[in-house]
């Protein structure tokens, strides 16, 4: 169940569903431009969000969730490793940033640095355990760790605030002699732009990773681990690096989310493992941009439907099911497949 | 005389009641083309697996390029310069032919680089193109591996092994399931490759191997039945009995 099987079409063009590298490589170096083009797509999407989403907190949330989902897709789409516990690094990042802001300093840089660095360390340990297994057993181990984290956060209330969480997290400051505060309520535009820059830069790093020799090996391992070993690769090491990278990105996203809400708690942080996975699948696993699109679409659905229906989750669930059945390659996969003309023009332009 | 590139001594392995490999020793001098033949289930693939570290031998040692590699994990053995192609085609199915080979080609020097795009590493791209040219898959470079014909997939399997620039190439029935024309082409290719790399190959088709091998080892029920030059193998009465008459 961790694999949605896709068969390449008979004419030799790849099917979007399962093979990110395939798409990038299939027409030589020219298509590789499109890989970097994802950065442009993200920029365009961010601008659209900025001008069309009336609720600034929601707009900023879209960027944060988008980054989180894109990072998760390193594991899911590129690595074939489905994590059921990606709330753990997100929540950890939130608590870490929140605690720094509350007790140490209001510097946004320090808070994010601690969130990212501590998460990298934790991911290494968690990943070393989870990656002892593959397929559904890997998924179960990630889920178990997220559950463990939830209960620690619940029980250890002297640090985490337990059930109440950490409220009243101070507004972070940008420092560097600017005097700029990241206040989502009073100055949402600054917060949006700051988040946008962080997300774009991180996203560029993710693209570089997927195009690098190591990122390519990750995809080769997904295709055939035995053969990757036969080429001399330490496949566990490559997967562990990916696990840490995905966890670190999630930690960063969680830290930003804590600043956005000035709050960290059990809800919603620890309950989002399924949601972020839905965003990835909805948007499409074969690119980094797909999950960002999935996050935006999911949040649009959520915010619209929840206004009219108390049981909006039912509707989102139904939509998700239809999507998975009708186009397992996800929304972005659907776009790139059904509008090939668009891409041919792009390619020859590139 | 210098030490052989591969030296296997008294390799042994059982599965349940089956003694798959029974006290087999091999000595492969650098540059040679050594063949292993034997009926189905005689332990040929298992012998390969004992050499590459897939399966731990219950007894015996393996030395490769002057180093003891017994019990070393497969990926580490591969890094030492020992590459294998598979009896059952094993490639990266949804990647392009080019990417399949490029992955192997980058392994030597650029395995874990993550700060620059893979396609920009010119030496790897060039090496990949050379391997594709040599194997005769250059015209298929952008094809998704799983869309290749059976024969081409077999050759891609071999290309991946070759692209790691090994010192010793193990080929497990490279012509399995190939048509006579494809078989002939592959045999010719193997013979050409042998100019640069030592080859140890399992082959089922007797006629194929007699013409190109320097030396042949005959396995029968896990044991080494005979070893010698092709002409000797051909005329050896026991080999005739268990192998030639039975399976061809
Ligand atoms: N992993 C395993 N578990 C149990 N039995 C095994 C295993 N691997 C091989 N065997 C058994 O060992 C014997 C030798 O098998 P092996 O695959 O080495 O033969 P082979 O000479 O390669 O045959 P073929 O020509 O069919 O490829 C067979 O009886 C096989 O069933
Ligand atoms: Mg065999």
């Amino acid at each position: 169940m961790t694999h949605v099987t896709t068969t390449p079409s008979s004419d030799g063009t790849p099917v979007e569903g399962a093979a990110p590298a395939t798409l990038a490589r299939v027409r030589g170096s020219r298509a590789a431009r499109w890989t970097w083009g994802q950065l442009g797509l993200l920029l365009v999407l961010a601008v659209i969000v900025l001008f069309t989403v009336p609720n600034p907190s929601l707009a900023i949330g879209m960027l944060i969730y988008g980054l989180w989902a894109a990072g998760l897709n390193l594991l899911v789409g590129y690595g074939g490793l489905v994590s059921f516990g990606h709330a753990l690094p997100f929540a950890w990042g939130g608590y870490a940033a929140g605690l720094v802001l509350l007790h140490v300093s209001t510097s946004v840089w320090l808070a994010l640095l601690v969130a990212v660095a501590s998460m990298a360390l934790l991911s290494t340990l968690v990943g070393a355990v989870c990656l002892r297994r593959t397929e559904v057993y890997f998924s179960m181990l990630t889920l178990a760790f997220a559950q463990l984290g939830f209960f620690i956060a619940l029980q250890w209330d002297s640090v985490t605030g337990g059930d109440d969480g950490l409220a009243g997290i101070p507004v972070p400051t940008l420092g560097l002699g600017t005097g700029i505060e990241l206040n989502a309520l009073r100055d949402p535009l600054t917060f949006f732009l700051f988040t946008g820059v962080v997300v774009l830069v991180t996203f560029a790093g993710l693209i570089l990773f997927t195009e690098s020799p190591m990122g390519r090996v990750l995809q080769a391992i997904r295709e055939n681990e035995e053969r990757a070993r036969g080429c001399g690769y330490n496949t566990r090491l490559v997967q562990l690096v990916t696990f840490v990278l995905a966890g670190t990105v999630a930690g960063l996203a969680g830290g930003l989310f804590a600043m956005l809400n000035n709050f960290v708690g059990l809800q919603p942080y620890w309950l989002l493992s399924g949601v972020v996975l839905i965003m990835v699948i909805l948007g499409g696993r074969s690119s980094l941009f797909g999950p960002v699109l999935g996050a935006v679409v999911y949040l649009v659905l959520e915010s619209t439907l929840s206004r009219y229906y108390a049981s909006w989750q039912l509707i989102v669930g139904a939509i998700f099911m239809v999507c998975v059945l009708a186009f397992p390659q996800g929304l972005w996969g659907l776009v790139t497949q059904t509008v090939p003309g668009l891409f041919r023009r792009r390619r020859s332009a590139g | 005389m210098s030490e052989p590139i591969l030296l296997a001594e008294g390799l042994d392995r059982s599965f349940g009641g089956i003694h798959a490999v029974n006290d087999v020793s091999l000595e492969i001098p650098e540059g040679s083309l050594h063949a292993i033949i034997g009926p189905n289930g005689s332990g040929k693939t298992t012998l390969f697996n004992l050499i590459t570290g897939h399966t731990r031998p219950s007894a015996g040692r393996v030395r490769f390029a002057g180093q003891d590699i017994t019990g070393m994990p497969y990926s580490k053995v591969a890094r030492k310069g020992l590459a294998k192609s598979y009896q059952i085609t094993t490639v990266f199915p949804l990647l392009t032919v080019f990417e399949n080979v490029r992955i192997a080609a980058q392994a030597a020097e650029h395995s874990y680089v993550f700060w620059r795009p893979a396609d920009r590493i010119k030496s790897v791209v060039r090496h990949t193109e050379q391997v594709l040219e040599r194997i005769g898959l250059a015209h298929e470079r952008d094809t998704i591996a799983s869309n290749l014909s059976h024969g081409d997939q077999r050759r891609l399997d071999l290309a991946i092994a070759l692209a790691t620039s090994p010192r010793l190439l193990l080929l497990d029935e490279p012509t399995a399931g190939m048509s006579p024309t494809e078989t002939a082409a592959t045999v010719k290719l193997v013979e050409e490759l042998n100019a640069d790399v030592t080859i140890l190959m399992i082959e089922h088709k007797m006629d194929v191997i007699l013409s190109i091998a320097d030396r042949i080892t005959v396995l029968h029920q896990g044991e080494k039945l005979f070893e010698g030059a092709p002409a000797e193998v051909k005329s050896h009465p026991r080999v005739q009995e268990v192998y030639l008459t039975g399976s061809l």
Side-chain angles (χ1 to χ4, degrees):
Chain A
M1 76 171 269
T2 52
H3 295 284
V4 180
T5 318
T6 11
T7 340
S9 56
S10 52
D11 62 348
T13 53
V15 168
E16 262 275 271
T22 312
L23 190 72
R25 282 264 73 247
V26 82
R27 278 169 191 91
S29 55
R30 277 224 222 110
R33 284 183 65 91
W34 179 243
T35 319
W36 286 101
Q38 293 182 101
L39 203 56
L41 287 169
L42 179 60
L43 187 64
V44 170
L45 186 65
V47 170
I48 293 173
V49 165
L50 177 62
F51 286 105
T52 58
V53 177
N55 174 355
S57 169
L58 177 63
I60 297 163
M62 285 173 172
L63 296 180
I64 295 174
Y65 275 97
L67 180 65
W68 183 23
L72 173 60
N73 199 37
L74 283 186
L75 285 173
V76 176
Y78 291 79
L81 295 160
V82 181
S83 170
F84 284 168
H86 216 48
L88 172 68
F90 188 70
W92 178 282
Y95 280 98
L99 287 168
V100 168
L101 292 172
L102 272 171
H103 303 301
V104 183
S105 151
T106 57
S107 161
V108 62
W109 305 111
L110 186 70
L112 290 182
L113 184 74
V114 170
V116 163
S118 63
M119 197 51 232
L121 199 67
L122 183 69
S123 279
T124 311
L125 301 176
V126 172
V129 175
C130 293
L131 287 167
R132 298 183 74 86
R133 293 289 175 274
T134 54
E135 313 264 315
V136 76
Y137 304 99
F138 165 83
S139 305
M140 288 299 136
L141 284 172
T142 57
L143 180 63
F145 272 105
Q147 291 294 319
L148 192 67
F150 174 87
F151 281 110
I152 291 172
L154 176 66
Q155 297 295 327
W156 198 14
D157 53 13
S158 60
V159 173
T160 63
D163 228 349
D164 301 328
L166 300 173
I169 292 173
V171 169
T173 51
L174 206 53
L176 309 170
T178 57
I180 295 175
E181 285 196 333
L182 291 180
N183 190 323
L185 288 179
R186 246 179 288 136
D187 188 5
L189 184 63
T190 303
F191 202 114
F192 185 93
L193 293 178
F194 175 80
T195 310
V197 169
V198 170
V199 168
L200 276 168
V201 169
T202 313
F203 193 78
L206 293 179
I207 294 176
L208 181 58
F209 178 74
T210 58
E211 283 302 298
S212 72
M214 196 197 265
R216 293 288 186 78
V217 175
L218 175 69
Q219 296 162 55
I221 296 170
R222 176 201 63 208
E223 290 297 305
N224 195 325
E225 183 169 359
E226 153 78 18
R227 191 76 217 222
R229 277 203 205 104
C231 293
Y233 293 109
N234 182 341
T235 56
R236 278 297 161 275
L237 180 70
V238 174
Q239 289 175 327
L240 183 61
V241 168
T242 309
F243 192 90
V244 171
L245 202 55
T248 309
V249 169
L252 177 64
L256 289 168
F257 203 60
M259 294 172 185
L260 174 64
N261 299 305
N262 303 107
F263 169 77
V264 192
L266 300 179
Q267 286 233 37
Y269 291 81
W270 290 102
L271 309 179
L272 294 173
S273 288
V275 168
V276 68
L277 201 53
I278 288 177
M279 288 169 172
V280 170
I281 307 291
L282 187 65
R285 293 170 302 153
S286 52
S287 66
L288 288 168
F289 177 71
V292 182
L293 186 68
V296 170
V297 170
Y298 181 94
L299 293 173
V300 166
L301 283 175
E302 179 188 286
S303 66
T304 325
L305 292 173
S306 62
R307 233 179 294 153
Y308 304 106
Y309 310 102
S311 50
W312 60 272
Q313 276 161 320
L314 220 61
I315 302 170
V316 171
I319 292 175
F320 178 62
M321 262 194 278
V322 170
C323 286
V324 169
L325 293 174
F327 39 94
Q329 70 278 42
L331 288 171
W332 184 241
L334 192 70
V335 172
T336 51
Q337 248 178 7
T338 51
V339 202
L342 177 80
F343 293 91
R344 208 153 294 142
R345 240 177 293 125
R346 255 180 190 285
R347 232 178 275 116
S348 49
Chain B
M1 208 187 118
S2 62
E3 189 181 355
I5 185 151
L6 184 79
L7 189 67
E9 290 172 321
L11 287 177
D12 212 277
R13 174 75 201 211
S14 300
F15 298 105
I18 303 162
H19 208 156
V21 172
N22 187 354
D23 192 22
V24 174
S25 298
L26 279 179
E27 195 180 316
I28 316 291
E30 185 128 38
S32 65
L33 202 172
H34 192 115
I36 297 173
I37 62 171
N40 288 105
S42 56
K44 305 182 294 295
T45 299
T46 307
L47 178 61
F48 265 21
N49 288 339
L50 294 178
I51 293 170
T52 55
H54 273 89
T55 312
R56 260 192 112 86
S58 49
R61 309 215 62 78
V62 184
R63 280 179 76 76
F64 174 64
Q67 222 182 343
D68 192 337
I69 60 163
T70 320
M72 222 181 242
Y74 180 40
S75 59
K76 201 163 169 200
V77 170
R79 283 200 293 280
K80 300 237 171 266
L82 200 155
K84 176 177 102 158
S85 81
Y86 292 73
Q87 181 172 8
I88 296 160
T89 306
T90 303
V91 298
F92 307 113
L94 290 181
L95 304 184
T96 61
V97 167
F98 185 85
E99 182 66 5
N100 264 271
V101 177
R102 207 197 53 74
I103 287 287
Q106 77 176 18
E109 283 170 55
H110 304 277
S111 333
Y112 305 126
V113 169
F114 56 83
W115 53 86
R116 60 190 278 213
D119 296 330
R120 299 258 177 81
I121 303 177
K122 290 282 189 311
S123 58
V124 171
V125 170
R126 221 175 301 122
H127 180 53
T128 306
E129 282 163 353
Q130 281 164 2
V131 170
L132 287 176
E133 203 65 54
R134 184 144 198 206
I135 296 283
L137 281 173
H139 61 292
E140 299 279 16
R141 67 175 272 162
D142 294 337
T143 308
I144 301 302
S146 60
N147 288 345
L148 289 174
S149 71
H150 173 80
D152 281 347
Q153 288 200 26
R154 298 293 303 147
R155 285 201 291 192
L156 178 58
D157 194 322
L158 204 161
I160 294 171
L162 186 65
T164 61
S165 308
R167 292 186 64 188
L168 174 63
L169 198 50
L170 303 190
L171 306 176
D172 196 343
E173 294 195 36
T175 67
M178 281 188 173
S179 70
T181 341
E182 287 173 326
T183 302
T186 303
V187 168
K188 187 159 161 281
L189 177 67
V190 169
E191 202 179 1
E192 284 167 14
L193 292 178
N194 185 227
D196 302 326
V197 57
T198 314
I199 293 176
L200 173 60
M201 90 189 263
I202 295 172
E203 187 50 74
H204 230 95
K205 297 166 187 160
M206 188 73 167
D207 49 337
V208 158
I209 210 63
L210 287 174
S211 60
I212 61 169
D214 299 324
R215 252 183 119 67
I216 297 179
T217 299
V218 187
L219 286 186
H220 179 52
Q221 293 179 355
E223 290 182 53
K224 191 151 125 183
L225 180 74
F226 181 74
E227 186 178 299
E232 297 173 279
V233 169
K234 212 169 161 182
S235 55
H236 194 275
R238 277 282 284 154
V239 177
Q240 297 273 354
E241 198 181 311
V242 305
Y243 189 73
L244 292 180
T245 49
S247 69
L248 277 177

